[in-house]
């Protein structure tokens, strides 16, 4: 099953700047290339990383949004109108959000400025992935291509005991393992 997943990354600090004309911009990285996550999944069975260029296709084909803590009712910016700018560089997926001149924008600005909100999260769906199961205690999922739907400044991770966590309907490693087992059984049936 290919479901949307969310990652919370409080270590990827957001920064604020205000121009002379009053535009307040939030900047930072939503993803850093080849940086391993903490253990993810229901049983904390795998770590994850994104390769450089994982979002290249998504950035030209999708209209991404910046949401306040994943709340679809609180849109802070959008690529379609240029208030959210996403670029891939040598470090990762960089973002710039021009905050709206509204109470929502004011609240976001003040919360980030005070340091109450200093994390970044993103919602994605993997398209191309590889699993390295050579070490059962250190399984690595590498996302090579993904659809990106949103990024979100957020105040805390999905699970307090970790800084990076899965919040999806199904554990991606379990789905991968189940599919691999199903294919193996099907191949054995075909041989018999």
């Amino acid at each position: 099953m290919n479901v949307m997943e969310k990652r919370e990354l409080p270590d990827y600090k957001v920064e604020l700047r205000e121009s002379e004309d009053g535009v307040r911009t939030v900047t930072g990285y939503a993803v850093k290339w080849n940086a391993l996550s903490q253990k993810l999944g229901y049983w904390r069975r795998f770590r994850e990383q994104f390769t450089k260029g994982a979002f290249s296709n998504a950035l030209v084909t999708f209209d991404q949004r910046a949401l306040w803590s994943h709340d679809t009712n609180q849109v802070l910016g959008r690529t379609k109108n240029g208030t959210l700018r996403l670029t891939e560089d040598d470090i990762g997926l960089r973002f710039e959000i021009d905050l709206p001149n509204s109470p929502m924008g004011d609240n976001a600005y003040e919360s980030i400025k005070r340091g109450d909100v200093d994390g970044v999260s993103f919602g994605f769906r993997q398209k191309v992935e590889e699993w390295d199961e050579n070490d059962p205690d250190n399984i690595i999922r590498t996302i090579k291509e993904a659809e990106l739907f949103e990024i979100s400044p957020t105040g805390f991770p999905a699970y307090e005991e970790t800084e990076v966590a899965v919040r999806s309907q199904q554990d991606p490693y379990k789905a991968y393992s189940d599919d691999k087992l199903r294919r193996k059984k099907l191949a054995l049936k075909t041989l018999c």
Side-chain angles (χ1 to χ4, degrees):
M1 178 180 282
N2 195 357
V3 298
M4 184 169 132
E5 301 176 49
K6 293 180 184 173
R7 295 291 181 270
E8 310 269 349
L9 304 164
D11 286 342
Y12 299 174
K13 302 297 183 204
V14 294
E15 299 173 13
L16 285 172
R17 65 176 188 262
E18 189 168 352
S19 68
E20 290 180 12
D21 60 356
V23 175
R24 299 167 301 182
T25 304
V26 179
T27 64
Y29 284 91
V31 177
K32 291 188 178 179
W33 309 133
N34 301 312
L36 285 172
S37 69
Q38 293 189 26
K39 293 223 174 178
L40 300 170
Y42 185 71
W43 297 105
R44 307 284 186 253
R45 296 183 61 169
F46 70 95
R47 295 174 67 181
E48 180 177 83
Q49 64 185 351
F50 285 77
T51 59
K52 183 178 179 182
F55 299 107
S56 294
N57 289 333
L59 294 181
V60 296
T61 58
F62 289 102
D63 178 22
Q64 291 87 13
R65 286 159 178 87
L67 305 176
W68 185 247
S69 201
H70 301 294
D71 185 343
T72 58
N73 294 312
Q74 296 189 51
V75 179
L76 298 174
R78 172 174 195 173
T79 56
K80 179 178 163 181
N81 65 5
T83 55
L84 168 63
R85 293 170 299 285
L86 297 165
T87 55
E88 290 183 320
D89 63 21
D90 288 337
I91 297 169
L93 179 65
R94 183 167 173 73
F95 69 88
E96 294 184 351
I97 308 165
D98 294 335
L99 295 174
N101 186 14
S102 68
M104 178 182 49
D106 296 342
N107 290 340
Y109 179 80
E110 287 303 320
S111 293
I112 293 168
K113 183 177 175 182
R114 289 174 16 148
D116 298 335
V117 172
D118 63 358
V120 181
S121 178
F122 61 101
F124 72 98
R125 182 175 297 124
Q126 64 80 17
K127 290 185 76 175
V128 179
E129 66 182 8
E130 287 182 1
W131 291 89
D132 179 352
E133 300 174 287
N134 290 327
D135 177 357
D137 295 325
N138 191 31
I139 298 168
I140 305 294
R141 178 191 196 196
T142 301
I143 307 290
K144 295 185 169 233
E145 184 177 353
E147 297 171 341
L148 178 70
F149 300 105
E150 53 98 1
I151 65 158
S152 292
T154 188
F156 54 88
Y159 305 105
E160 290 187 37
E161 66 272 17
T162 64
E163 293 181 49
V164 182
V166 172
R167 287 200 313 185
S168 65
Q169 296 173 345
Q170 185 174 354
D171 181 332
Y173 182 68
K174 181 169 179 358
Y176 166 77
S177 297
D178 290 350
D179 185 54
K180 189 167 102 174
L181 182 60
R182 182 190 56 74
R183 285 183 278 131
K184 191 179 217 179
K185 287 179 180 178
L186 187 60
L188 286 174
K189 278 186 179 179
T190 306
L191 291 174
C192 295

